[in-house]
């Protein structure tokens, strides 16, 4: 399996997964043109993409979905609530390219086994994904909480693409309104750096799993701070970077490492 984050953060999110003859995107939260350019930079043509899987309807996740689907005849997968909620942004998507899934009801798409999992976010009905080919990749962003059910469904992954949106102290001491701070820090908001570490403490099997911290806030976090917080929290549990897992921070506006699992 091949995984690459094309962009990660409030300016736009899009991830690429490839396995055998299947190539998919998770979200398309940038302009169609920008996503075409980012794919080209990893030597992938958007015409090779089989489908876009949507986590939720917020602009930074669906901005390019409709354009790409219409321009390149791409299939779009979303749960029914998300599909209805994103239509004002994506505009019409052809009926023959529209596919509805239900969270917690896994299915096969070509060479991949797709498990959509419900999240806790201020949207219509958010999803995260566990995706299995010959390896297992789990992507969990835009959730204020990771419960035992999510942990159970994403465990034993070879790569965790996990939200570390904010540093709590930076958020509380920053310029955001109190209501926005409350929203971000709530169980329907975003995971903090410490939340990400707490989840990883329960997930990691110390088999050099790849951990990609993602969806970092531009205002309330720093890549070095996110990585240091996760590294320090895990080291207190004797889970050591380099020995037990590989840590990376996903760039906000550029491609990440191309991981060939």
């Amino acid at each position: 399996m091949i995984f690459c984050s094309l962009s990660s953060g409030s300016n736009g999110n899009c991830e690429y997964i490839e396995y055998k003859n299947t190539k998919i995107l998770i979200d398309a939260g940038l302009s169609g043109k920008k996503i075409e350019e980012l794919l080209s930079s990893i030597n992938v043509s958007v015409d090779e993409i089989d489908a876009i899987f949507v986590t939720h309807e917020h602009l930074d996740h669906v901005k390019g979905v409709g354009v790409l689907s219409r321009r390149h005849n791409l299939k779009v997968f979303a749960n029914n609530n998300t599909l209805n909620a994103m239509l004002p942004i994506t505009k019409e998507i052809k009926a023959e390219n529209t596919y509805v899934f239900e969270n917690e009801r896994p299915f096969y798409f070509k060479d991949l086994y797709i498990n959509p999992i419900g999240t806790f976010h201020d949207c219509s009905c958010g999803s995260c994904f566990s995706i299995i080919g010959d390896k297992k990749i789990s992507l969990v962003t835009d959730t204020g909480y990771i419960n035992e059910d999510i942990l159970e469904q994403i465990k034993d992954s070879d790569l965790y693409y996990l939200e570390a949106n904010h540093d709590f102290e930076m958020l509380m001491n920053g310029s955001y309104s109190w209501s926005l701070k409350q929203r971000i820090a709530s169980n329907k908001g975003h995971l903090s750096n410490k939340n990400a570490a707490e989840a990883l403490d329960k997930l990691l099997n110390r088999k050099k799993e790849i951990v990609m911290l993602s969806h970092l806030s531009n205002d309330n976090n720093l890549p070095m701070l996110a990585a240091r917080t996760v590294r320090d929290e895990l080291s207190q549990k004797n889970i050591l970077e380099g020995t037990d897992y590989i840590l990376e921070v996903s760039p906000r506006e550029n491609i990440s490492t191309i991981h060939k699992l």
Side-chain angles (χ1 to χ4, degrees):
M1 294 180 78
I2 296 174
F3 179 87
C4 180
S5 172
L6 301 181
S7 182
S8 178
S10 56
N11 290 340
N13 298 272
C14 187
E15 295 84 51
Y16 172 76
I17 295 175
E18 176 182 337
Y19 178 58
K20 292 184 177 179
N21 295 314
T22 306
K23 299 179 180 181
I24 66 170
L25 298 179
I26 307 297
D27 290 332
L30 302 130
S31 70
K33 181 179 179 181
K34 182 63 176 177
I35 291 173
E36 290 169 355
E37 291 173 353
L38 290 168
L39 284 170
S40 179
S41 73
I42 60 170
N43 298 314
V44 176
S45 167
V46 70
D47 291 315
E48 300 173 53
I49 300 298
D50 297 295
I52 304 170
F53 289 79
V54 180
T55 60
H56 65 294
E57 72 273 11
H58 290 166
L59 181 65
D60 58 323
H61 294 262
V62 301
K63 181 178 181 179
V65 170
V67 170
L68 289 175
S69 179
R70 289 187 292 272
R71 186 181 295 166
H72 301 281
N73 201 36
L74 301 184
K75 297 176 176 64
V76 175
F77 287 77
N79 66 53
N80 192 60
N81 287 353
T82 296
L83 186 66
N84 290 329
M86 73 186 191
L87 282 176
I89 300 171
T90 64
K91 308 305 180 184
E92 184 179 2
I93 298 171
K94 291 180 181 179
E96 60 266 32
N97 283 333
T98 303
Y99 294 80
V100 178
F101 60 71
E102 294 182 34
N103 288 345
E104 281 73 49
R105 293 195 66 177
F107 58 96
Y108 283 97
F109 175 70
K110 297 188 67 178
D111 301 304
L112 293 171
Y113 184 69
I114 312 287
N115 183 15
I117 307 159
T119 57
F120 301 88
H121 196 49
D122 58 347
C123 59
S124 60
C125 184
S127 305
C128 60
F129 295 99
S130 182
I131 299 176
I132 301 174
D134 60 346
K135 301 290 184 178
K136 182 175 181 179
I137 296 171
S138 291
L139 306 92
V140 183
T141 69
D142 295 82
T143 188
Y145 176 55
I146 295 184
N147 64 5
E148 292 300 320
D149 184 57
I150 295 175
L151 290 172
E152 179 65 24
Q153 295 189 68
I154 68 173
K155 71 178 183 180
D156 299 323
S157 293
D158 299 280
L159 186 151
Y160 293 100
Y161 186 80
L162 182 64
E163 178 170 65
N165 175 259
H166 61 277
D167 173 79
F168 185 76
E169 282 71 29
M170 282 186 70
L171 174 65
M172 290 296 110
N173 293 322
S175 61
Y176 284 9
S177 67
W178 177 241
S179 61
L180 182 55
K181 291 176 182 179
Q182 288 180 304
R183 176 219 161 214
I184 292 169
S186 76
N187 283 354
K188 290 293 185 75
H190 293 276
L191 296 176
S192 69
N193 297 337
K194 190 170 183 179
N195 293 151
E198 290 168 348
L200 290 165
D201 175 36
K202 298 175 182 178
L203 289 166
L204 291 173
N205 293 324
R206 307 187 187 196
K207 295 182 177 179
K208 286 205 170 180
E209 299 100 315
I210 296 168
V211 173
M212 300 180 69
L213 303 180
S214 61
H215 213 295
L216 272 67
S217 168
N218 192 45
D219 299 305
N220 303 305
N221 211 350
L222 296 166
M224 289 181 63
L225 177 58
R228 184 175 72 234
T229 300
V230 169
R231 185 185 302 116
D232 290 351
E233 290 285 331
L234 291 177
S235 68
Q236 292 179 25
K237 305 295 180 68
N238 200 33
I239 305 172
L240 305 178
E241 181 190 4
T243 301
D244 299 319
Y245 68 100
I246 307 299
L247 184 63
E248 178 180 332
V249 178
S250 304
R252 286 181 56 83
E253 298 179 358
N254 299 300
I255 65 169
S256 69
T257 302
I258 301 172
H259 291 284
K260 298 181 179 181
L261 305 176

